Structure formats: structure tokens, C-alpha cells
Amino acid sequence: MGAGHAHQLYRRGDSPVHGLPPHTKLVAVLGFVLVVVATPREAVWAFALYAALLGAVAARARVPAGFLLRRLAIEIPFVAFAVLMPFVVPGEQTSVLGVSLSVPGLWGAWNILAKGTLGVAASVLLAATTELRALILGLQRLGLPSPIVQIASFMIRYGDVITDEMRRMSVARRSRGFEARGVRHWGVLAKSAGALFIRSYERGERVHLAMVSRGYTGTMPLLDERPTTRAQWAAALALPLAALPICILGRTL
Amino acid sequence: MNTPSLEVSGLAYAYPDGHQALFGVDLTIGRGERVALLGPNGAGKTTLVLHLNGILTAGAGTVTVAGLPVGRKHMAEIRRKVGIVFQDPDDQLFMPTVREDVAFGPAAAGLRGAELDAVVERALEKVGMTGYADRPPHHLSFGQRRRVAVATVLAGEPEILVLDEPSSNLDPASRRELADVLRSLDVTVLMVTHDLPYALELCPRSLVLSEGVIAADGPTREILGDEELMNRHRLELPFGFVPGSVA
């Protein structure tokens, strides 16, 4: 598949990682994240090894470090909480550069930061090497219920259509001298949102009509049924399988 | 004599709210004909179209497609045989890529693999959109989207192609390109339109649907030239357009 204008997270390429069937990659990322989360936070070296593993995958996928790091920024709002922990968690105190910090708080912050960052990095890598559409097909192959797959597919297809409609409504509002400047104007915006909802709902009905006209009976035909080879599974699962002994070692040491 | 592509007789329909839209429609369209269905807004054109593939079920009368009565029993077959191209291509094209959209109908009918690819390829070729298979529909021009919408229906190899306002919102070049595509197809066409010059250009025969009945049926040129008939059914030619003067 090579749909143009894919989502922003995707990075077009033909690396071995790009070529893997999406469902194997999904399983691999999930496995990797579970292994990372199961690792005790005190095994600091283990997290360094995990990061190195992800680095190896990124290199294989030819995803540049800058690309990866920029997209890691999405994590920032979530780690803000982690930064607070050393200051607010009660317990044994230690002094760093004259500031008194809580030791369990520091460990807690490290735990969230390390595991969160590794999880986000793995997900960013997945998104960078797999198209949105392919991800949904992958979920479908993994047994995600068909209605959810269909809803997600329609979101991809109609997200832009509805955004356009919203933009046109906004242009129409402004052309008649309306500028949303404050609370007083929220009523108008709310009505626009309502109108947009009804328009989208009606479009939904028309789309359904078009689908039924073309033989839709409740399930989407699965178009890509190429079987997955053992080699593809092995390549995808190499990541969690490499991480697993690190985790086991971390737990026993 | 061949079985006609479409036969409608005595078709009447009232919406659940009691509004009666069709009062006994009779029409026959032979195989390979291109026929325009003209009529003012609210004449019942869309209601009639939705009966052709069994989306709406007749209150009275029958619809027969290539000898097959439209009814619950043959619904899958009927929906394949009657290809409806709806007015807004964004409604018609609901899959993330052009290829998947064109493949939808045949895949729903059970086609897979190389056979399916071939059908998709052929349908896109017929409308001149071969290079666009992997594009998302949203990034095509309106005219391209409408041509892809035609392809999605052609992929089912329909007996009859039903187009709802095919020229609406198209710029003149896209309008002409679509006309070229439609002319090149070897399929029965029923075209619902307000674009009377387009009807004259493409369809030798026209039907006028007015107030739920077929009010006229004849050569397009004669119908468009009959001023009295046109006025009676709120049909108007564009300014300066004289049907007799067009070759």
C-alpha cells in the first residue's frame, strides 16, 4: 500500500521493518512494552539495553534519531507528573545540589520516565514504519471486532471530509462578520458543532446507502489475505524476544 | 428480442410519513440504451432510482432488471446488476484508498486475489484513472472522484448504470471527460439529470418524470424542443441553448 499524504507520524520507506506485516509488528510492540513494564525499576542497566534494542530497530528501519526524538515530545505532558514526584512523595529524603528530594519519589519518577519513554519510542517506531490504514488492517487480522475496524476505517476516510466541512462553515460564519472572540460567542460555535454533527450523521446515512447498493451486508471484505511467513513473524518478534532475557536477568539479579 | 435491461411497471410508492412520491411509473429500457431521466426537483427521480436496486420496496408494481424481479430473493444479484453512482462522490467513495473502494463490490461478491486485482485494474482503466489506485479519494479532484465513483460501480459489471446528476459540480473539462467515459462504455445507462444539454449530448432518448408519473418518453431532441411540454414540467433550457442547432 502506498497511499499518499499519510499521517504525520508515518515515514515512507522500504526498509525490512516497513515491509513486515502490520499485525506482526503490533504483536512485537505489545510484547516489548509488556517486557519493559515487567522489569524492576532498580535494574537501570536493563533500560539502557532496551533503548539500545530500539536504536537497532530504528537503524534497521532507517528512521533518523532526530525524527524519533521530535516525535517523543508527545510524551512531555505525561512526564510532567513524574517530574513532580521527587518533590511531593513522602519518605526518605536526599539532597541534590542543596535541594531536598524524596528517594522513593526519585525512583518513581525514573520508573515512569524510563518505561514511558521506551513505550512511546516503540510506538513511534511502529507508527513511523506502518501506515495508519495498515495498522487497522493489522488489528483486524489480530481479531479486533469488525465494527471497531469499520469505525476506525471511516475515521481515516472521513476525518478530512468533515474537517473540510468544518472549515467551510467557519469561512461562511466569518464571511458574515462573525469572529469568535469570547464566551459570548460560544453559543454560535455550539450551534455550528451541532449542525456539523447533523450533517455528518446525514452523510453517514448516505454512505450507508452507497455501501448497501454495492453489496454491503454487514462485514467489510478482507482484501489482503497474504499469509504471514514464519520468517516474518521471527523478524518481528526478535525485538520482544531479545528484550525478554534482559527482563528475566533484571528480575533475578 | 433481447430481455430489456430494465422494466418498471405500475410502480407506486409512498414514504412512511404518508407522502406519496410515485403514482404508477411505467418504463422500459432496452439493453445498451442510454436514457436520460428528466424532471423538476421533487418529481420523484431519486425515489425511483432507489427502487431500481431494492433500497426502497415498491408499494405497488414491479421492477425487473434483465428479467430478474427486484425483491428480497435476488437482492445480492440485483445490487450487482444495478450500479448506482450517487451524486456526492464523497458518499460513494467510503474506503481509504481508490483501489479498496473499487474492489469493495466485487470483494463483497466473493472475488479475491489476482482476479480481483484484474477487475479493479480494468474498471479504473475504463474511466482513465489507472494511476490513482493507491491514492486516498480525498486527495483527488472532484472530477476524478466522480470518475472513480463510476469505476466502483463498473467493477461489478452491472447490467445497467444509473447516474444521479453525473455532471453536477463538475467544471466544463471534467464534465466533458466524464461524457467521453460514459460514451465509451458498453453498458445500459440511465442518467438522472437537470443538465439538459448533457442529456442531449449523451442520451438519444429521454423520459420526463413529473409528479410521480412518466409524463413523456421520446427522443431527447424532440422533448427538449417541445416548449409547451417543457414548461408544463418546469424544465428549462439554459440561456441561449437551442437543441435543434446542436449537431
Side-chain angles (χ1 to χ4, degrees), chain B residues 77-94:
Chain B
E77 179 71 1
I78 290 289
R79 299 231 158 119
R80 194 192 60 72
K81 278 183 187 292
V82 181
I84 302 186
V85 179
F86 290 94
Q87 194 173 345
D88 185 346
D90 275 331
D91 296 342
Q92 180 101 24
L93 305 175
F94 47 79

Side-chain angles (χ1 to χ4, degrees), chain A residues 5 10 19 30 48 64 80 94 120 137 142 146 162 166 187 197 236:
Chain A
H5 306 271
Y10 183 67
L30 181 68
T94 181
V120 172
L137 288 176
L142 290 175
S146 166
I162 290 172
M166 202 162 75
F197 174 78

Side-chain angles (χ1 to χ4, degrees), chain B residues 15-33:
Chain B
Y15 278 97
D17 65 4
H19 169 71
Q20 178 124 13
L22 301 176
F23 295 83
V25 171
D26 295 284
L27 62 94
T28 305
I29 297 177
R31 184 157 292 168
E33 267 196 286

Side-chain angles (χ1 to χ4, degrees), chain A residues 88-228:
Chain A
V88 296
V89 175
E92 190 192 333
Q93 298 285 313
T94 181
S95 177
V96 179
L97 301 172
V99 184
S100 170
L101 296 174
S102 134
V103 174
L106 277 172
W107 275 117
W110 156 251
N111 194 33
I112 291 179
L113 204 63
K115 291 180 180 176
T117 307
L118 285 168
V120 172
S123 309
V124 168
L125 269 177
L126 173 67
T129 58
T130 321
E131 274 190 81
L132 203 50
R133 172 71 190 140
L135 277 178
I136 288 169
L137 288 176
L139 287 168
Q140 187 175 16
R141 288 185 76 159
L142 290 175
L144 188 73
S146 166
I148 297 179
V149 172
Q150 292 182 35
I151 290 170
S153 311
F154 287 130
M155 267 170 59
I156 303 182
R157 170 63 184 90
Y158 287 102
D160 285 346
V161 174
I162 290 172
T163 316
D164 261 6
E165 201 144 312
M166 202 162 75
R167 199 173 306 128
R168 282 198 303 272
M169 287 169 76
S170 152
V171 168
R173 274 197 310 268
R174 276 182 286 149
S175 305
R176 284 186 276 161
F178 175 84
E179 252 348 298
R181 265 187 302 260
V183 184
R184 278 179 303 129
H185 294 123
W186 285 5
V188 177
L189 295 180
K191 280 188 196 117
S192 297
L196 187 65
F197 174 78
I198 291 173
R199 282 192 196 185
S200 305
Y201 186 86
E202 286 177 346
R203 182 183 293 281
E205 287 186 328
R206 294 197 302 273
V207 171
H208 181 251
L209 201 63
M211 293 173 71
V212 169
S213 294
R214 274 158 64 202
Y216 175 76
T217 50
T219 50
M220 298 302 244
L222 191 58
L223 296 178
D224 180 21
E225 282 174 318
R226 270 171 300 175
T228 312

